[in-house]
Amino acid sequence: EVEAMYNARAYNPKCELGKAGCSVFVNMHALVLRRSGLAAARSRPGLRFQSYDSSSSVAAKDEPNIRHSNLGKVTRLAVIGGGKMAEALVCGLISETGPARVDPANMMVSDPHPARRAMFTDGMGVPSTPSNAEAVDGAGLVLLCVKPQTLPKALAELKESLSDGALVVSIAAGEMLETLQGGLGTEMSVVRAMPNTPAMVGKGMTVWIASENVSEEQREFAQLVFQSCGKEVEVFDESYLDMATAISG
């Protein structure tokens, strides 16, 4: 995996993470996973580890105009915050060789900065807006990619605009499920996740946890999002997210 990271620029020419940075992040995560017991996720109850092999995506190559992902069931996908990690997630989601293969026209990114909106709209073909409310209008899946200091304002805006039954996936560092549901409403389905920097080159490791009211189908949606930029581990103890945040955040 480290060797693949060395060739990161073939995946994303804009990647600013050098060889040394890739090696450090991958090796640090391996150490944390070993020490916390996550490295044995395949054999331990309460943990689930899975990744996606893009070489198995034969159907997508044979039928490039057909979207095969379960995310196609989602009416619309919104991304709140257009930073670097949001860029990595969107790149993976719209990739024709990834597991999600979301149609860019079925997404919308909100960000207050015109330059970032232009990057998504002009560079990726993904519609953008300065309005969070407009972005989430009718969205069945919302990726919350804002910094912790702007989270309270974002949650207040989303609470008034989210569709019934929507899934909110937050990557805000250190913000617990209790905080997220407190701001959105306890009835909302919420996933808290901690991706790492190698996600920007498709080799990330995301640790995530779901609230009790997240359905199995919504769990599959979350898996596809994270597998679009690397590997993912679902945990059932939120303390594991704090471990991941200590390294990634």
Side-chain angles (χ1 to χ4, degrees), residues 2-247:
V2 174
E3 184 63 29
M5 295 289 285
Y6 285 174
N7 299 317
R9 292 185 183 278
Y11 176 87
N12 185 351
K14 297 181 181 179
C15 176
E16 299 175 357
L17 192 65
K19 294 181 179 180
C22 292
S23 299
V24 168
F25 269 94
V26 171
N27 289 327
M28 287 178 72
H29 269 78
L31 176 62
V32 170
L33 294 180
R34 283 199 299 271
R35 289 187 174 178
S36 65
L38 291 180
R42 288 186 177 87
S43 60
R44 287 188 57 190
L47 294 168
R48 186 200 48 72
F49 177 93
Q50 192 168 347
S51 61
Y52 173 75
D53 179 7
S54 61
S55 64
S56 66
S57 182
V58 178
K61 296 175 183 177
D62 293 341
E63 302 174 86
N65 295 321
I66 298 177
R67 303 284 172 171
H68 297 274
S69 165
N70 281 340
L71 286 179
K73 298 177 182 178
V74 178
T75 305
R76 213 157 139 274
L77 195 155
V79 182
I80 308 301
K84 290 295 184 181
M85 196 56 70
E87 180 180 348
L89 290 171
V90 171
C91 278
L93 286 167
I94 66 175
S95 171
E96 287 291 348
T97 60
R101 299 183 292 281
V102 175
D103 188 339
N106 201 38
M107 304 177 69
M108 181 169 284
V109 177
S110 67
D111 194 274
H113 304 291
R116 292 304 295 172
R117 296 199 301 271
M119 191 281 301
F120 285 98
T121 302
D122 300 336
M124 300 185 191
V126 176
S128 63
T129 175
S131 168
N132 292 339
E134 181 183 357
V136 302
D137 184 27
L141 175 59
V142 177
L143 306 184
L144 188 54
C145 305
V146 300
K147 295 184 181 298
Q149 59 266 32
T150 62
L151 183 65
K153 180 182 178 181
L155 292 178
E157 291 177 346
L158 295 184
K159 184 176 183 179
E160 302 300 323
S161 308
L162 285 170
S163 302
D164 292 339
L167 171 65
V168 177
V169 176
S170 169
I171 63 169
E175 300 296 342
M176 302 186 70
L177 287 175
E178 182 179 4
T179 300
L180 297 169
Q181 287 193 302
L184 295 172
T186 56
E187 75 284 355
M188 287 302 303
S189 299
V190 176
V191 164
R192 175 192 170 192
M194 192 66 236
N196 62 358
T197 306
M200 293 192 293
V201 293
K203 295 293 180 180
M205 171 63 78
T206 301
V207 182
W208 61 282
I209 188 169
S211 62
E212 292 183 358
N213 53 348
V214 171
S215 68
E216 286 304 310
E217 183 177 56
Q218 289 174 325
R219 272 188 162 83
E220 292 178 9
F221 293 163
Q223 282 180 255
L224 285 169
V225 170
F226 305 136
Q227 289 173 17
S228 294
C229 54
K231 299 179 180 179
E232 47 86 20
V233 180
E234 181 184 10
V235 299
F236 303 96
D237 182 339
E238 203 163 0
S239 64
Y240 284 126
L241 269 293
D242 298 328
M243 296 177 192
T245 301
I247 295 298

